[in-house]
Amino acid sequence: MEDRFDIMRWRNEQIYHLRQSKPLTTEDQDNYFTNVISKLFDQEQPDQILFSYLEGEKCIGYGGLVHINWIDKNAEVSFIIDTRREKEEFNKHWSIYLDLIEKVAFTELKFHKLFTYAFDLRPHLYEVLEDCGYIKEAVLKEHCLFNDEFKDVVIHSIINDQLTLRKIQREDKNLIFEWANEEQTRFNSFNSNEIPYNNHSAWFDKKLIDKNACYYICEFNGEPAGLVRFDIKEDKLIIGITIDKKQRGKRLSSKFLSKACEIVTDQTQLPIIAYIKKENFPSIKSFEKAGFIYNTNIKINDIDAYEYKYKRK
């Protein structure tokens, strides 16, 4: 209730891109919160689930799942942030929010699909959506009337693909050997030499019983898609990731990294560190999206690299 007038102000300031026919008044907002918002808490399947988006204890945004279809298990994503933050922090907060709302929709509610429905005048929004795995699904020409002018509408969507992690098993030895020797994987590694099978076999057998190693096979729709590695070294948890070449380009890395880090942060307080070659831009982007922040420059095997540190939630 205490957020309602901040939300009203942001909506009125950003009315140009909202499906809102006129500026809201304090009376409008009071009525909406009293007669609509308050009732949502008592409904088993409301048509919208709304959240205040907080930085610390301060509300800096507002949104949720709207136009919920409980039968077809889909919903529209809605979100606005404090107008003063749009210029410098738009991408940052949209990315964080999408990650949070997907946990609600996909993990908690088991929805199948999320979509956005926006006037075709926000290219900066579409860039964020597509970077977060949303696909541009359609452009509806002159679909909405706003200020006596028909506007095109752009629809982006994301499907709830099944992403799971499991501990490595002895049967994974050959699969991991294939991934480790793949050309792009070796190029991004700090040791790019081809790995003999005998060396790999001995290494794998050792890791299976190593208490300082925790390796996860990443599965996408039930199929092995990659490997996330954690090794304890000098009171740090060193993380690495390998993605099957057939699964690249699907923006899976950051999602697998996020899931893996959530698992291990429940088990240890050790800092999680990633070492990434400077020229490995896709990995840098994936780790940053998964919650890692730049820490320092470093050399590994005389190769220039960045050290990234996971920011615990």
Side-chain angles (χ1 to χ4, degrees):
M1 201 61 182
E2 61 266 30
D3 301 329
R4 68 192 186 283
F5 294 132
D6 284 335
I7 292 168
M8 179 189 73
R9 185 177 75 253
W10 303 332
R11 290 193 66 95
N12 287 341
E13 291 169 347
Q14 298 176 45
I15 194 172
Y16 75 96
H17 69 76
L18 299 171
R19 302 196 297 278
Q20 181 177 310
S21 60
K22 61 182 178 60
L24 298 170
T25 65
T26 56
E27 183 180 9
D28 292 332
Q29 195 72 337
D30 277 335
N31 287 337
Y32 180 63
F33 269 71
T34 301
N35 298 318
V36 178
I37 298 293
S38 63
K39 295 178 181 178
L40 296 176
F41 295 92
D42 299 322
Q43 296 173 16
E44 183 68 26
Q45 293 187 335
D47 61 0
Q48 56 184 337
I49 301 173
L50 302 174
F51 299 91
S52 292
Y53 173 78
L54 306 181
E55 184 177 69
E57 297 298 320
K58 182 176 175 57
C59 178
I60 63 167
Y62 158 82
L65 303 172
V66 300
H67 302 114
I68 295 174
N69 185 324
W70 292 94
I71 295 174
D72 297 328
K73 297 186 180 299
N74 63 55
E76 179 185 346
V77 174
S78 174
F79 183 54
I80 60 172
I81 61 170
D82 185 335
T83 311
R84 295 168 298 182
R85 293 171 175 257
E86 282 211 314
K87 184 176 180 180
E88 301 295 333
E89 301 179 21
F90 184 89
N91 288 24
K92 168 188 171 182
H93 289 298
W94 260 98
S95 296
I96 294 171
Y97 171 77
L98 289 172
D99 182 60
L100 293 172
I101 204 67
E102 285 169 28
K103 286 183 171 65
V104 174
F106 292 154
T107 304
E108 299 297 327
L109 298 177
K110 311 300 183 187
F111 281 4
H112 176 66
K113 180 179 180 179
L114 294 179
F115 64 93
T116 62
Y117 180 101
F119 290 157
D120 191 9
L121 43 73
R122 305 182 76 194
H124 53 308
L125 170 60
Y126 312 143
E127 291 171 5
V128 179
L129 290 171
E130 290 167 17
D131 192 47
C132 291
Y134 285 69
I135 304 299
K136 185 177 179 180
E137 190 169 294
V139 177
L140 306 181
K141 303 297 290 184
E142 299 186 11
H143 195 70
C144 289
L145 181 64
F146 179 74
N147 282 348
D148 296 322
E149 184 178 347
F150 286 98
K151 302 285 187 181
D152 293 351
V153 169
V154 181
I155 297 175
H156 285 79
S157 67
I158 189 168
I159 301 296
N160 184 12
D161 294 312
Q162 295 300 310
L163 304 177
T164 57
L165 274 71
R166 62 168 175 81
K167 292 282 189 71
I168 60 167
Q169 301 167 1
R170 189 165 299 280
E171 294 74 22
D172 298 318
K173 180 186 289 190
N174 291 345
L175 178 63
I176 294 174
F177 174 69
E178 291 175 12
W179 289 343
N181 267 327
E182 192 270 326
E183 183 179 3
Q184 189 63 42
T185 299
R186 287 193 288 111
F187 177 79
N188 290 330
S189 172
F190 291 103
N191 183 356
S192 297
N193 296 326
E194 190 166 346
I195 304 168
Y197 185 79
N198 288 343
N199 291 8
H200 168 78
S201 181
W203 169 86
F204 184 88
D205 291 343
K206 181 180 178 182
K207 291 298 180 182
L208 271 181
I209 59 174
D210 187 351
K211 293 181 179 179
N212 289 323
C214 188
Y215 288 18
Y216 294 95
I217 293 291
C218 308
E219 295 182 331
F220 175 61
N221 289 335
E223 296 294 326
L227 174 74
V228 174
R229 310 176 302 278
F230 293 98
D231 290 282
I232 298 176
K233 295 180 180 178
E234 300 175 354
D235 296 325
K236 297 176 184 176
L237 207 53
I238 310 302
I239 186 174
I241 186 169
T242 302
I243 295 293
D244 187 324
K245 66 179 181 180
K246 299 188 295 294
Q247 303 293 351
R248 291 176 191 151
K250 299 179 181 179
R251 299 181 174 91
L252 298 177
S253 294
S254 61
K255 295 179 181 180
F256 284 135
L257 288 167
S258 293
K259 281 182 173 291
C261 288
E262 287 175 8
I263 292 172
V264 300
T265 51
D266 286 339
Q267 301 170 356
T268 178
Q269 291 299 310
L270 292 177
I272 303 174
I273 302 296
Y275 300 121
I276 312 169
K277 280 185 174 179
K278 281 190 174 182
E279 64 269 24
N280 190 355
F281 301 113
S283 281
I284 291 170
K285 195 172 183 180
S286 293
F287 275 92
E288 287 179 342
K289 188 178 173 186
F292 285 75
I293 56 175
Y294 168 79
N295 196 35
T296 187
N297 287 11
I298 194 171
K299 275 189 178 290
I300 298 178
N301 297 341
D302 290 325
I303 297 172
D304 290 329
Y306 297 123
E307 179 181 291
Y308 271 73
K309 184 175 182 180
Y310 181 66
K311 186 176 181 181
R312 290 173 178 268
K313 297 172 182 176

